[in-house]
Amino acid sequence: MIIKDLQITRQNTLRDALTRLNELGTGILLLVGEHGRLERTVTDGDLRRLLLEHNQLDRLLVELPEQKSTVIEEGYTRRQALSLMRERQVNQLPVVDDAGRVTALLNRSDIDEQVLLSTPHMGDTELEFVMEAFRTNWIAPLGPNVDAFERETAELVGVEHAVALSSGTAAIHLALRLLDVGPGDTVFCSTLTFAASVNPVVYQGAQPVLIDSEPESWNMSPDALERAFEWAKAESRLPKAVIVVSLYGQSADMDPILEICGRYGVPVVEDAAESLGARYKGKASGTLGQFGIYSFNGNKIITTSGGGMLLAPNAEMASAARFLATQARDPAPHYQHSTIGYNYRMSNILAGVGRGQLRVLDERVQARRAVFQGYKDALSDVEWLEWMPEPEWSYSTHWLSVVAIRQDAAKSVTAQRLIERLSEEFVEARRVWKPMHLQPVFADAPSFDHGNHSVSADLFERGVCLPSSSHLSADAVNRVVDTIRSMR
Ligand SMILES: *Cc1c(COP(=O)(O)O)cnc(C)c1O
């Protein structure tokens, strides 16, 4: 919409105004006076009233009464604009500059559009698989979609055995159970992560030991891990497992981590909930430890609305996982149980969604990487921003686009202030995960820093996750970029 087209003066006729409204279909015109200053807005209704007062179509608009129109000044936030529109019950709002000239016309439907952090993005085939499940009445936590989803996921990442489950958390839990983690045991886990990585350790009655990040990948520090092992060895209490998290779509530096764990003979569970589609030295993230897990929660790179996958090292472990995930029913002619199981299997309907999503995973990865690159390019000259690094051995999906504030260069900008400012523009942004060693619930867990300070605590302090959906519009990216640029 070009503002000039909306402008009329009192020297225009009623016919001019009606014709213009008719052509533009905006429902509003701008009556301007001297120096293009806005006098008032003119709506359909205003013109209708003039007609009803027996004005002829060739009457000049001098007849229009003076009226103070609702406007907003440049420098407004979306939140301010929307609340003004709500208060005055208008759907359009002219923006005026210092001289009272209109520079833009805001539409309510555009203004209140939210930009969310990470939303589901369906492809073209999900519904077909779901309908097939309906058609064949496979509405159960097993069925052909489940089998196929497992097979297709395994093929995609290049492993033999995958088990579809109700969540990524369930997958971690089963991995620990299969590794025989129990009361009195310890399990090492990355500290910079979502609570779901660590909670299953406690479900099993074991104690977590929290390992810091290193600055190159923001993932588990081999240095901190080594020191944790030295401590554990001195205490004669080696962990039963090490849960290595791959954060925000980026693999951890697995080679040194696997070397250390191998040296101590401790198995690795790769929490790749956020990094399906990522690679480490060409290998699929999630396939490097003894066990690997993916999540298909609604906010992840591909989703089944809720679900997870366990990658198992062999057929025995995979079938043990399926057994435990279906209430541990013994093969007997009646209901018989000799161990405690769970209800953790994925439904055949949701597996159908997953099969469709797998087919677009590559596109989704490309799109998320492009979102990250878009931010980075557009803000390359903003020296107080430090983008999540991508080491040369990493191919990150950039599930989330993450940036840290360089406190030395930022003057007054903090992570929290940036998030609040974005929220004023209806942009959802979040802090980087609060490390587990700083969580009240894990206050008693031993933790090991990288070198002499906590890298994860620093990233939590400074880090912000920006909107990262694979179908994020260019307008949305611009809104984020402009908002960040407006901060100092
Ligand atoms: C999402 C997530 C999980 C849990 O996955 P759910 O499917 O939601 O249970 C585990 N670990 C990390 C790092 C995650 O981001």
Side-chain angles (χ1 to χ4, degrees):
M1 179 62 53
I2 299 165
I3 293 301
K4 229 173 90 224
D5 294 342
L6 295 173
Q7 293 178 343
I8 49 169
T9 71
R10 289 200 182 269
Q11 298 315 308
N12 285 110
T13 63
L14 193 47
R15 176 182 282 108
D16 293 339
L18 282 165
T19 310
R20 193 86 67 83
L21 263 189
N22 199 38
E23 282 166 6
L24 296 173
T26 48
I28 191 171
L29 293 175
L30 307 167
L31 184 70
V32 297
E34 249 181 275
H35 308 299
R37 193 176 298 135
L38 180 72
E39 253 190 56
R40 56 164 292 179
T41 55
V42 182
T43 64
D44 274 326
D46 295 326
L47 299 177
R48 196 180 323 120
R49 271 185 290 282
L50 281 186
L51 282 171
L52 288 171
E53 285 157 14
H54 306 292
N55 285 297
Q56 299 299 311
L57 281 174
D58 48 14
R59 272 306 272 278
L60 297 182
L61 294 177
V62 283
E63 297 297 325
L64 265 179
E66 286 191 17
Q67 177 192 302
K68 198 163 168 7
S69 299
T70 303
V71 297
I72 196 161
E73 281 171 22
E74 278 181 344
Y76 66 93
T77 68
R78 278 176 184 250
R79 193 180 297 286
Q80 289 164 344
L82 185 64
S83 68
L84 189 58
M85 284 172 162
R86 285 207 175 115
E87 186 189 305
R88 304 288 166 84
Q89 302 191 341
V90 294
N91 289 321
Q92 289 169 312
L93 187 60
V95 181
V96 295
D97 64 12
D98 289 346
R101 284 179 305 236
V102 176
T103 56
L105 182 67
L106 306 178
N107 283 304
R108 186 146 160 185
S109 55
D110 298 335
I111 284 295
D112 65 7
E113 193 197 333
Q114 308 274 333
V115 178
L116 300 174
L117 191 72
S118 178
T119 55
H121 184 179
M122 290 297 118
D124 297 327
T125 57
E126 287 81 351
L127 256 186
E128 285 169 34
F129 291 115
V130 171
M131 303 237 278
E132 178 65 9
F134 271 73
R135 207 180 53 72
T136 53
N137 208 31
W138 274 108
I139 317 288
L142 78 173
N145 275 337
V146 174
D147 299 342
F149 187 36
E150 291 178 342
R151 205 169 51 236
E152 289 163 3
T153 303
E155 260 166 38
L156 188 84
V157 298
V159 299
E160 295 278 318
H161 308 284
V163 181
L165 299 166
S166 55
S167 71
T169 311
I172 299 171
H173 189 193
L174 286 183
L176 297 183
R177 176 75 194 264
L178 291 168
L179 289 170
D180 203 28
V181 171
D185 290 335
T186 55
V187 172
F188 291 0
C189 183
S190 310
T191 189
L192 187 58
T193 186
F194 180 47
S197 304
V198 199
N199 284 341
V201 175
V202 183
Y203 300 166
Q204 283 306 101
Q207 194 191 32
V209 173
L210 301 164
I211 313 293
D212 199 13
S213 297
E214 43 86 7
E216 274 73 46
S217 69
W218 296 11
N219 282 309
M220 186 181 277
S221 154
D223 169 72
L225 179 67
E226 184 80 66
R227 281 188 293 112
F229 265 115
E230 281 160 14
W231 164 84
K233 195 173 173 211
E235 300 267 307
S236 311
R237 227 179 132 201
L238 284 181
K240 267 282 179 61
V242 177
I243 301 171
V244 182
V245 179
S246 291
L247 213 57
Y248 299 127
Q250 173 154 276
S251 172
D253 190 1
M254 293 307 288
D255 278 351
I257 291 171
L258 290 171
E259 187 277 314
I260 297 166
C261 295
R263 200 170 353 112
Y264 286 94
V266 176
V268 167
V269 177
E270 232 189 315
D271 178 353
E274 302 177 4
S275 63
L276 175 60
R279 290 198 287 273
Y280 175 73
K281 300 185 180 171
K283 286 177 238 152
S285 181
T287 65
L288 293 113
Q290 270 75 359
F291 288 90
I293 76 101
Y294 299 124
S295 165
F296 305 107
N297 192 32
N299 60 352
K300 298 284 155 60
I301 191 154
I302 60 170
T303 180
T304 58
S305 79
M309 190 76 75
L310 176 69
L311 306 185
N314 51 49
E316 293 71 48
M317 285 290 193
S319 91
R322 290 191 182 95
F323 168 76
L324 288 172
T326 42
Q327 311 284 23
R329 280 167 59 182
D330 291 342
H334 44 264
Y335 286 98
Q336 179 171 299
H337 306 272
S338 1
T339 186
I340 297 295
Y342 314 92
N343 182 5
Y344 275 174
R345 280 296 254 167
M346 178 181 279
S347 103
N348 193 56
I349 297 177
L350 299 189
V353 179
R355 293 184 70 191
Q357 287 273 275
L358 271 190
R359 282 155 177 74
V360 291
L361 175 63
D362 261 358
E363 286 166 48
R364 301 296 181 261
V365 170
Q366 299 304 332
R368 296 232 181 202
R369 285 180 61 86
V371 167
F372 180 77
Q373 198 58 45
Y375 286 136
K376 218 175 139 176
D377 290 347
L379 293 163
S380 60
D381 59 320
V382 179
E383 76 283 2
W384 49 270
L385 295 175
E386 177 187 324
W387 297 93
M388 183 173 179
E390 191 172 358
E392 87 287 347
W393 42 258
S394 167
Y395 179 80
S396 171
T397 65
H398 290 291
W399 166 57
L400 293 186
S401 289
V402 194
V403 69
I405 313 291
R406 278 186 48 208
Q407 232 71 82
D408 52 335
K411 299 202 177 107
S412 62
V413 184
T414 62
Q416 201 51 39
R417 278 201 54 224
L418 181 58
I419 289 167
E420 283 159 13
R421 178 74 189 84
L422 286 165
S423 150
E424 289 297 306
E425 301 299 338
F426 299 146
V427 172
E428 183 188 25
R430 295 265 175 89
R431 295 281 290 274
V432 158
W433 300 125
K434 180 175 181 177
M436 293 303 115
H437 74 278
L438 300 179
Q439 298 288 354
V441 70
F442 297 121
D444 294 337
S447 70
F448 290 85
D449 288 350
H450 174 81
N452 51 16
H453 83 294
S454 173
V455 170
S456 56
D458 175 58
L459 291 171
F460 165 61
E461 213 44 62
R462 304 190 294 115
V464 177
C465 305
L466 299 173
S468 308
S469 301
S470 43
H471 48 184
L472 200 68
S473 69
D475 278 353
V477 172
N478 287 340
R479 194 196 303 182
V480 175
V481 165
D482 292 346
T483 309
I484 292 178
R485 274 199 178 285
S486 75
M487 294 198 72
R488 230 20 286 260

